[in-house]
Amino acid sequence: PYDNVDHTGVLNHSTDDLQARVKRYYDTGMQLHFHTMGDGAARAALDAIEYARNNGSEEHLELRHTLSHLALIDPADMSRFTELNTGASFTLVWGTTDEWTYNLEVPVLGKDRVARLYPIRSVAEAGGMVLGGSDWNYGDLNPLISIEAGLTRDDPYGPASAGEFEVFDDETVDLKTLIDAYTINGAWQIQAEDVAGSIETGKRADVVIYDRNLFEISPYEISEAQVELTVFDGRVVYRRSND
């Protein structure tokens, strides 16, 4: 429930309707993508996937469904992403210290729950497949914005908060985890990890070269890196002008 009103949000579908819909799509072999912001929505989606897997065709057990955004997840549900072969796609640019956090989220969720927003570290430590999302075109398509946010949990668009809201530190992850979330894990999401998502012999040549080494700069500078060259399936599709 929200802290300031006796309300838990509204699900777009009843439990029975959601489970019936998910099973119907599951049985056709569709990989499903859910919009889940609150812990209630995340649990409803996970319950529906579990229902479909338990009552649907066994030939579809390898389907990789996705829950997106995931502002809040009940701690009891962290391990279910692994159990249900389901990806956890986080929009980390929203999980930062900024005016929105202080003026909206803290008053309605309370500081304890805000400290657990976008719990990418908890899901990763539970063995879940973490994915990087943008929510384009409402969010920012540049992955470096969310990668910086995932490292610092600070506003990548504004000045650093100087540790004013350090409780976010519990859900930070390292740079490799975040790069994987936007590359090889994204390929896993669409069952394409054998041909894309990493630089290996036999895979498509999909490469982005930046003007600095992300592992050698301050996390607060990552969002400022500029793309020098983009190669898509072996073809140069973008080259930065030196003017």
Side-chain angles (χ1 to χ4, degrees):
Y2 293 108
D3 275 15
N4 58 346
V5 291
D6 184 19
H7 188 51
T8 58
V10 178
L11 292 171
N12 287 331
H13 303 281
S14 68
T15 298
D16 289 345
D17 180 48
L18 180 63
Q19 292 184 350
R21 285 171 179 259
V22 169
K23 181 181 179 300
R24 183 164 70 249
Y25 302 141
Y26 173 94
D27 284 343
T28 68
M30 292 178 64
Q31 296 197 148
L32 306 177
H33 196 101
F34 297 80
H35 175 101
T36 49
M37 282 299 290
D39 46 9
R43 175 166 290 180
L46 291 169
D47 286 348
I49 294 171
E50 183 174 29
Y51 175 83
R53 286 168 61 90
N54 289 341
N55 296 279
S57 171
E58 291 188 0
E59 67 178 297
H60 298 315
L61 289 175
E62 297 306 312
L63 291 175
R64 299 166 181 177
H65 310 296
T66 301
L67 273 58
S68 63
H69 307 325
L70 294 170
L72 279 171
I73 305 171
D74 191 294
D77 291 327
M78 297 296 182
S79 63
R80 299 180 70 194
F81 290 88
T82 304
E83 296 164 3
L84 299 174
N85 202 39
T86 294
S89 178
F90 292 94
T91 312
L92 291 172
V93 69
W94 299 341
T96 61
T97 303
D98 56 14
E99 292 184 3
W100 179 280
T101 305
Y102 285 112
N103 297 332
L104 176 65
E105 292 174 332
V106 171
V108 301
L109 295 175
K111 202 165 185 178
D112 288 344
R113 277 187 291 177
V114 169
R116 294 188 284 109
L117 286 175
Y118 304 96
I120 184 172
R121 180 175 178 178
S122 293
V123 173
E125 289 181 344
M129 179 64 71
V130 295
L131 309 165
S134 68
D135 199 35
W136 176 258
N137 59 2
Y138 181 79
D140 199 311
L141 192 59
N142 179 3
L144 295 191
I145 297 292
S146 280
I147 287 175
E148 179 177 315
L151 287 167
T152 67
R153 300 312 287 258
D154 214 336
D155 186 359
Y157 298 109
S161 64
E164 293 176 6
F165 203 63
E166 294 179 354
V167 287
F168 266 141
D169 290 350
D170 291 341
E171 288 298 341
T172 58
V173 288
D174 61 24
L175 181 55
K176 181 181 183 304
T177 296
L178 291 163
I179 290 177
D180 285 351
Y182 281 95
T183 54
I184 189 64
N185 295 1
W188 174 91
Q189 181 186 23
I190 58 171
Q191 299 197 24
E193 70 271 27
D194 58 333
V195 296
S198 60
I199 303 172
E200 297 180 62
T201 301
K203 288 191 175 185
R204 291 164 43 125
D206 296 336
V207 183
V208 176
I209 299 175
Y210 289 98
D211 63 354
R212 63 200 80 179
N213 187 331
L214 303 184
F215 289 91
E216 296 179 354
I217 60 177
S218 164
Y220 290 91
E221 298 176 16
I222 284 180
S223 64
E224 301 169 19
Q226 299 293 314
V227 175
E228 293 284 355
L229 183 75
T230 302
V231 180
F232 179 72
D233 199 14
R235 295 177 296 107
V236 175
V237 295
Y238 172 80
R239 190 186 302 273
R240 185 182 179 195
S241 171
N242 292 322
D243 296 340

